[in-house]
Amino acid sequence: MVNLSQQALDRTFAALVDPTRRAILTRLESEESLSVSELARPFAIKLPAVMKHLDVLGEAGLIARSKSGRTVAVRLTPAPMRAAMEWLRRYERFWSVRLDRLGAFAEAQERKARKSQRRKPRP
Amino acid sequence: MVNLSQQALDRTFAALVDPTRRAILTRLESEESLSVSELARPFAIKLPAVMKHLDVLGEAGLIARSKSGRTVAVRLTPAPMRAAMEWLRRYERFWSVRLDRLGAFAEAQERKARKSQRRKPRP
């Protein structure tokens, strides 16, 4: 089980390495589904290259393809990204700790400012 | 700027593809710093292979190495993982939507249960 989930993580992260593949996922995020040619349109690369990227995304389980007649519809199946995000979430405390420290610093500064205000002699 | 941050994401995700590299990051998460040999100990692979993984992690900016005498201390520099997590966070709504629906379903069931309780004739 552990190895299977490790392999799934390998595939997910490998699929996310390429900026074109990330751009494909980003486009699919806002659309119910897109045809392969619609997906390929904004990219400078040729259709076969786009198809190869779709294969990688498909093998990682990040997209699903369905054929109707001549058109292949592509839609996002984002579930595997959840495990990738959970993996990264373990490191979130490093940013949050810094934010906590910043917050504590800001509060201390405010307390100081208030104290010095109180100390000022009234005119 | 966009390209630079895209390249940084490429490197971060590429560094995370390998399970040994992920295991190294996980170990460094709970330790202030570890020597290269301490890091290598639990892995079945040879030291030069570990060094190569450390190079990839170093190039991605995920670890920092400092030498004192013969010992190289390795520590986690997790900042680049934040951008990777932010990228993945865009897809979080797909899981949350499902959770929202589950929540709404649970609430509806509870309301139903309460209603049928009220309708029951008192003994």
Side-chain angles (χ1 to χ4, degrees):
Chain A
M1 263 312 271
V2 171
N3 269 349
L4 276 183
S5 66
Q6 285 293 338
Q7 280 168 21
L9 265 184
D10 294 2
R11 271 199 302 270
T12 307
F13 282 130
L16 297 177
V17 168
D18 188 277
T20 304
R21 289 199 292 269
R22 290 201 302 272
I24 289 172
L25 294 173
T26 302
R27 275 195 73 203
L28 287 171
E29 190 242 314
S30 53
E31 306 273 350
E32 190 67 36
S33 94
L34 284 169
S35 71
V36 173
S37 54
E38 280 170 327
L39 263 178
R41 208 167 293 148
F43 299 115
I45 53 172
K46 295 253 163 74
L47 197 63
V50 173
M51 303 287 273
K52 269 189 198 164
H53 283 312
L54 292 179
D55 283 343
V56 177
L57 290 171
E59 276 157 33
L62 292 169
I63 58 158
R65 282 168 286 187
S66 52
K67 209 172 176 177
S68 73
R70 286 190 174 185
T71 317
V72 175
V74 184
R75 65 184 174 79
L76 190 70
T77 52
M81 287 198 262
R82 186 176 193 166
M85 212 183 120
E86 294 304 330
W87 192 92
L88 284 161
R89 189 162 266 160
R90 212 179 309 176
Y91 302 87
E92 207 176 17
R93 67 178 178 92
F94 290 98
W95 315 307
S96 328
V97 165
R98 257 189 230 169
L99 285 178
D100 284 354
R101 274 188 207 150
L102 261 178
F105 177 75
E107 266 173 40
Q109 291 297 96
E110 210 179 7
R111 268 198 303 274
K112 251 191 216 170
R114 255 186 254 136
K115 261 189 194 170
S116 71
Q117 278 284 26
R118 257 181 257 146
R119 259 183 236 140
K120 261 185 199 160
R122 295 185 177 253
Chain B
M1 263 310 270
V2 172
N3 269 349
L4 276 183
S5 65
Q6 285 293 337
Q7 280 167 23
L9 266 183
D10 293 3
R11 271 198 303 270
T12 307
F13 282 129
L16 298 177
V17 168
D18 189 277
T20 303
R21 289 200 291 270
R22 290 200 301 273
I24 290 173
L25 294 173
T26 302
R27 274 196 73 203
L28 288 171
E29 191 242 313
S30 53
E31 305 273 350
E32 189 67 38
S33 94
L34 285 169
S35 72
V36 173
S37 55
E38 280 170 326
L39 264 178
R41 207 167 293 147
F43 300 113
I45 53 172
K46 295 254 164 72
L47 197 64
V50 172
M51 303 288 272
K52 269 188 198 165
H53 283 312
L54 292 178
D55 284 342
V56 177
L57 291 171
E59 277 157 32
L62 293 168
I63 58 158
R65 283 168 286 187
S66 52
K67 210 171 174 177
S68 71
R70 285 189 176 187
T71 318
V72 175
V74 185
R75 65 184 174 80
L76 190 71
T77 52
M81 286 197 263
R82 184 176 195 167
M85 212 184 121
E86 294 304 330
W87 192 91
L88 283 162
R89 189 161 267 163
R90 211 180 309 176
Y91 301 87
E92 207 176 18
R93 67 177 177 91
F94 290 98
W95 316 306
S96 328
V97 165
R98 259 187 229 172
L99 285 180
D100 284 353
R101 275 188 207 150
L102 261 178
F105 176 76
E107 266 173 41
Q109 291 296 96
E110 211 179 7
R111 267 198 304 274
K112 252 191 218 171
R114 255 186 255 135
K115 260 189 193 171
S116 70
Q117 279 283 26
R118 257 182 257 146
R119 256 184 239 141
K120 264 185 199 161
R122 290 180 185 260

Short mmCIF file of all heavy atoms in Angstrom, two decimals, chain A residues 21-56:
data_model
loop_
_atom_site.label_atom_id
_atom_site.label_comp_id
_atom_site.label_asym_id
_atom_site.label_seq_id
_atom_site.Cartn_x
_atom_site.Cartn_y
_atom_site.Cartn_z
N ARG A 21 2.22 20.95 -19.37
CA ARG A 21 1.24 20.08 -18.70
C ARG A 21 0.52 20.84 -17.58
O ARG A 21 -0.68 20.69 -17.40
CB ARG A 21 1.91 18.82 -18.16
CG ARG A 21 2.33 17.86 -19.27
CD ARG A 21 2.57 16.46 -18.76
NE ARG A 21 3.73 16.34 -17.91
CZ ARG A 21 4.97 16.06 -18.35
NH1 ARG A 21 5.19 15.85 -19.63
NH2 ARG A 21 5.96 15.96 -17.50
N ARG A 22 1.26 21.68 -16.86
CA ARG A 22 0.60 22.48 -15.81
C ARG A 22 -0.41 23.43 -16.44
O ARG A 22 -1.52 23.62 -15.92
CB ARG A 22 1.65 23.25 -15.00
CG ARG A 22 2.52 22.38 -14.11
CD ARG A 22 3.16 23.16 -12.97
NE ARG A 22 3.98 24.26 -13.43
CZ ARG A 22 5.29 24.14 -13.74
NH1 ARG A 22 5.90 22.97 -13.63
NH2 ARG A 22 5.98 25.19 -14.14
N ALA A 23 -0.04 24.01 -17.59
CA ALA A 23 -0.95 24.94 -18.27
C ALA A 23 -2.22 24.22 -18.74
O ALA A 23 -3.33 24.77 -18.67
CB ALA A 23 -0.25 25.62 -19.44
N ILE A 24 -2.05 22.98 -19.21
CA ILE A 24 -3.22 22.18 -19.64
C ILE A 24 -4.16 21.96 -18.44
O ILE A 24 -5.36 22.17 -18.54
CB ILE A 24 -2.76 20.83 -20.24
CG1 ILE A 24 -2.09 21.06 -21.61
CG2 ILE A 24 -3.95 19.87 -20.38
CD1 ILE A 24 -1.44 19.82 -22.21
N LEU A 25 -3.58 21.59 -17.30
CA LEU A 25 -4.40 21.36 -16.10
C LEU A 25 -5.10 22.64 -15.68
O LEU A 25 -6.27 22.63 -15.29
CB LEU A 25 -3.53 20.82 -14.96
CG LEU A 25 -2.93 19.43 -15.16
CD1 LEU A 25 -1.95 19.10 -14.04
CD2 LEU A 25 -4.02 18.36 -15.25
N THR A 26 -4.39 23.76 -15.76
CA THR A 26 -4.97 25.05 -15.37
C THR A 26 -6.15 25.40 -16.27
O THR A 26 -7.18 25.88 -15.80
CB THR A 26 -3.90 26.16 -15.41
OG1 THR A 26 -2.83 25.77 -14.55
CG2 THR A 26 -4.45 27.49 -14.96
N ARG A 27 -6.02 25.14 -17.59
CA ARG A 27 -7.13 25.42 -18.49
C ARG A 27 -8.32 24.52 -18.18
O ARG A 27 -9.47 24.97 -18.20
CB ARG A 27 -6.71 25.23 -19.95
CG ARG A 27 -6.05 26.48 -20.49
CD ARG A 27 -5.97 26.43 -21.99
NE ARG A 27 -7.26 26.63 -22.63
CZ ARG A 27 -7.55 26.22 -23.87
NH1 ARG A 27 -6.64 25.57 -24.57
NH2 ARG A 27 -8.74 26.45 -24.39
N LEU A 28 -8.05 23.27 -17.88
CA LEU A 28 -9.14 22.33 -17.60
C LEU A 28 -9.82 22.62 -16.27
O LEU A 28 -10.95 22.18 -16.03
CB LEU A 28 -8.62 20.89 -17.60
CG LEU A 28 -8.27 20.32 -18.98
CD1 LEU A 28 -7.57 18.98 -18.83
CD2 LEU A 28 -9.52 20.17 -19.85
N GLU A 29 -9.13 23.37 -15.43
CA GLU A 29 -9.69 23.69 -14.11
C GLU A 29 -10.96 24.55 -14.26
O GLU A 29 -11.88 24.44 -13.47
CB GLU A 29 -8.64 24.43 -13.27
CG GLU A 29 -9.00 24.60 -11.82
CD GLU A 29 -9.12 26.04 -11.42
OE1 GLU A 29 -8.25 26.84 -11.78
OE2 GLU A 29 -10.10 26.38 -10.74
N SER A 30 -10.97 25.42 -15.28
CA SER A 30 -12.09 26.35 -15.42
C SER A 30 -13.12 25.90 -16.47
O SER A 30 -14.11 26.59 -16.70
CB SER A 30 -11.56 27.75 -15.76
OG SER A 30 -10.71 27.67 -16.89
N GLU A 31 -12.89 24.75 -17.11
CA GLU A 31 -13.82 24.27 -18.14
C GLU A 31 -14.29 22.87 -17.77
O GLU A 31 -13.51 22.07 -17.27
CB GLU A 31 -13.11 24.20 -19.51
CG GLU A 31 -12.44 25.48 -19.95
CD GLU A 31 -13.39 26.40 -20.69
OE1 GLU A 31 -14.51 25.95 -21.02
OE2 GLU A 31 -13.00 27.55 -20.95
N GLU A 32 -15.54 22.59 -18.06
CA GLU A 32 -16.08 21.25 -17.79
C GLU A 32 -15.28 20.21 -18.58
O GLU A 32 -14.82 19.22 -18.03
CB GLU A 32 -17.56 21.21 -18.17
CG GLU A 32 -18.31 19.96 -17.74
CD GLU A 32 -18.43 19.83 -16.22
OE1 GLU A 32 -18.60 20.88 -15.54
OE2 GLU A 32 -18.34 18.70 -15.73
N SER A 33 -15.11 20.45 -19.89
CA SER A 33 -14.28 19.59 -20.73
C SER A 33 -13.89 20.35 -22.00
O SER A 33 -14.55 21.30 -22.39
CB SER A 33 -15.00 18.29 -21.06
OG SER A 33 -15.69 18.38 -22.29
N LEU A 34 -12.79 19.95 -22.62
CA LEU A 34 -12.29 20.60 -23.84
C LEU A 34 -11.86 19.51 -24.81
O LEU A 34 -11.40 18.45 -24.39
CB LEU A 34 -11.09 21.50 -23.51
CG LEU A 34 -11.36 22.84 -22.83
CD1 LEU A 34 -10.05 23.46 -22.36
CD2 LEU A 34 -12.07 23.82 -23.75
N SER A 35 -12.01 19.80 -26.12
CA SER A 35 -11.51 18.84 -27.11
C SER A 35 -10.00 18.99 -27.19
O SER A 35 -9.44 20.01 -26.78
CB SER A 35 -12.14 19.11 -28.47
OG SER A 35 -11.61 20.30 -29.00
N VAL A 36 -9.33 17.96 -27.71
CA VAL A 36 -7.88 18.00 -27.81
C VAL A 36 -7.42 19.20 -28.64
O VAL A 36 -6.47 19.90 -28.27
CB VAL A 36 -7.34 16.67 -28.41
CG1 VAL A 36 -5.84 16.77 -28.67
CG2 VAL A 36 -7.62 15.51 -27.47
N SER A 37 -8.13 19.48 -29.73
CA SER A 37 -7.70 20.60 -30.58
C SER A 37 -7.91 21.95 -29.88
O SER A 37 -7.10 22.86 -30.01
CB SER A 37 -8.40 20.56 -31.94
OG SER A 37 -9.78 20.51 -31.76
N GLU A 38 -8.98 22.07 -29.11
CA GLU A 38 -9.18 23.29 -28.32
C GLU A 38 -8.05 23.46 -27.29
O GLU A 38 -7.55 24.56 -27.08
CB GLU A 38 -10.51 23.23 -27.57
CG GLU A 38 -11.74 23.57 -28.40
CD GLU A 38 -13.05 23.26 -27.65
OE1 GLU A 38 -13.10 22.29 -26.86
OE2 GLU A 38 -14.01 23.99 -27.88
N LEU A 39 -7.69 22.34 -26.69
CA LEU A 39 -6.61 22.37 -25.69
C LEU A 39 -5.28 22.77 -26.33
O LEU A 39 -4.49 23.51 -25.75
CB LEU A 39 -6.44 20.99 -25.05
CG LEU A 39 -7.13 20.75 -23.72
CD1 LEU A 39 -6.87 19.31 -23.28
CD2 LEU A 39 -6.67 21.72 -22.65
N ALA A 40 -5.04 22.27 -27.55
CA ALA A 40 -3.75 22.49 -28.21
C ALA A 40 -3.60 23.92 -28.72
O ALA A 40 -2.49 24.44 -28.82
CB ALA A 40 -3.60 21.51 -29.37
N ARG A 41 -4.74 24.57 -29.05
CA ARG A 41 -4.73 25.87 -29.73
C ARG A 41 -3.76 26.91 -29.13
O ARG A 41 -2.95 27.47 -29.87
CB ARG A 41 -6.15 26.42 -29.83
CG ARG A 41 -6.33 27.34 -31.04
CD ARG A 41 -7.80 27.60 -31.29
NE ARG A 41 -8.54 26.41 -31.71
CZ ARG A 41 -9.84 26.17 -31.42
NH1 ARG A 41 -10.52 27.03 -30.69
NH2 ARG A 41 -10.43 25.08 -31.86
N PRO A 42 -3.81 27.19 -27.83
CA PRO A 42 -2.95 28.29 -27.33
C PRO A 42 -1.46 27.96 -27.28
O PRO A 42 -0.65 28.85 -27.05
CB PRO A 42 -3.49 28.56 -25.93
CG PRO A 42 -4.23 27.34 -25.55
CD PRO A 42 -4.68 26.67 -26.78
N PHE A 43 -1.08 26.70 -27.48
CA PHE A 43 0.33 26.33 -27.33
C PHE A 43 1.07 26.42 -28.64
O PHE A 43 0.51 26.18 -29.71
CB PHE A 43 0.45 24.91 -26.76
CG PHE A 43 -0.18 24.78 -25.40
CD1 PHE A 43 -1.29 23.97 -25.20
CD2 PHE A 43 0.33 25.49 -24.32
CE1 PHE A 43 -1.89 23.87 -23.96
CE2 PHE A 43 -0.26 25.39 -23.07
CZ PHE A 43 -1.37 24.59 -22.89
N ALA A 44 2.35 26.76 -28.55
CA ALA A 44 3.18 26.90 -29.75
C ALA A 44 3.63 25.53 -30.28
O ALA A 44 4.15 25.44 -31.38
CB ALA A 44 4.39 27.76 -29.44
N ILE A 45 3.41 24.49 -29.50
CA ILE A 45 3.88 23.16 -29.91
C ILE A 45 2.84 22.47 -30.80
O ILE A 45 1.67 22.83 -30.80
CB ILE A 45 4.20 22.27 -28.69
CG1 ILE A 45 2.99 22.23 -27.73
CG2 ILE A 45 5.44 22.78 -27.98
CD1 ILE A 45 3.13 21.24 -26.61
N LYS A 46 3.29 21.46 -31.55
CA LYS A 46 2.44 20.73 -32.50
C LYS A 46 1.51 19.75 -31.76
O LYS A 46 1.80 19.34 -30.64
CB LYS A 46 3.33 19.94 -33.48
CG LYS A 46 4.17 20.83 -34.37
CD LYS A 46 3.64 20.83 -35.81
CE LYS A 46 4.20 22.00 -36.62
NZ LYS A 46 5.61 21.80 -37.01
N LEU A 47 0.45 19.36 -32.45
CA LEU A 47 -0.56 18.47 -31.87
C LEU A 47 0.04 17.16 -31.30
O LEU A 47 -0.34 16.77 -30.18
CB LEU A 47 -1.65 18.16 -32.90
CG LEU A 47 -2.96 17.59 -32.34
CD1 LEU A 47 -3.66 18.56 -31.41
CD2 LEU A 47 -3.90 17.19 -33.46
N PRO A 48 0.95 16.49 -32.03
CA PRO A 48 1.51 15.23 -31.46
C PRO A 48 2.20 15.45 -30.11
O PRO A 48 2.14 14.59 -29.23
CB PRO A 48 2.52 14.78 -32.52
CG PRO A 48 2.04 15.41 -33.78
CD PRO A 48 1.46 16.73 -33.38
N ALA A 49 2.85 16.60 -29.96
CA ALA A 49 3.51 16.92 -28.69
C ALA A 49 2.47 17.11 -27.59
O ALA A 49 2.65 16.64 -26.45
CB ALA A 49 4.37 18.17 -28.84
N VAL A 50 1.37 17.77 -27.94
CA VAL A 50 0.28 17.94 -26.97
C VAL A 50 -0.29 16.57 -26.57
O VAL A 50 -0.52 16.30 -25.39
CB VAL A 50 -0.84 18.84 -27.54
CG1 VAL A 50 -2.05 18.88 -26.61
CG2 VAL A 50 -0.31 20.26 -27.77
N MET A 51 -0.45 15.70 -27.57
CA MET A 51 -0.97 14.35 -27.30
C MET A 51 -0.06 13.59 -26.33
O MET A 51 -0.55 12.89 -25.44
CB MET A 51 -1.07 13.54 -28.60
CG MET A 51 -1.91 14.18 -29.68
SD MET A 51 -3.67 14.11 -29.34
CE MET A 51 -4.04 12.50 -30.05
N LYS A 52 1.25 13.76 -26.50
CA LYS A 52 2.19 13.08 -25.59
C LYS A 52 2.02 13.60 -24.16
O LYS A 52 2.02 12.82 -23.21
CB LYS A 52 3.63 13.33 -26.05
CG LYS A 52 4.12 12.25 -27.00
CD LYS A 52 5.61 12.39 -27.27
CE LYS A 52 5.99 11.61 -28.52
NZ LYS A 52 7.31 12.01 -29.02
N HIS A 53 1.86 14.93 -24.04
CA HIS A 53 1.62 15.50 -22.71
C HIS A 53 0.32 14.94 -22.11
O HIS A 53 0.26 14.64 -20.92
CB HIS A 53 1.55 17.02 -22.78
CG HIS A 53 2.89 17.67 -22.92
ND1 HIS A 53 3.96 17.35 -22.11
CD2 HIS A 53 3.34 18.65 -23.75
CE1 HIS A 53 5.01 18.08 -22.45
NE2 HIS A 53 4.66 18.87 -23.45
N LEU A 54 -0.70 14.81 -22.96
CA LEU A 54 -1.98 14.27 -22.47
C LEU A 54 -1.82 12.82 -22.02
O LEU A 54 -2.45 12.40 -21.05
CB LEU A 54 -3.06 14.39 -23.55
CG LEU A 54 -3.50 15.83 -23.90
CD1 LEU A 54 -4.55 15.80 -25.01
CD2 LEU A 54 -4.05 16.57 -22.67
N ASP A 55 -0.95 12.07 -22.72
CA ASP A 55 -0.68 10.68 -22.29
C ASP A 55 -0.09 10.66 -20.88
O ASP A 55 -0.51 9.86 -20.04
CB ASP A 55 0.30 10.01 -23.26
CG ASP A 55 -0.40 9.59 -24.56
OD1 ASP A 55 -1.64 9.54 -24.57
OD2 ASP A 55 0.31 9.36 -25.56
N VAL A 56 0.88 11.54 -20.64
CA VAL A 56 1.51 11.59 -19.31
C VAL A 56 0.47 11.95 -18.24
O VAL A 56 0.40 11.33 -17.18
CB VAL A 56 2.69 12.59 -19.28
CG1 VAL A 56 3.30 12.69 -17.88
CG2 VAL A 56 3.77 12.19 -20.28
#
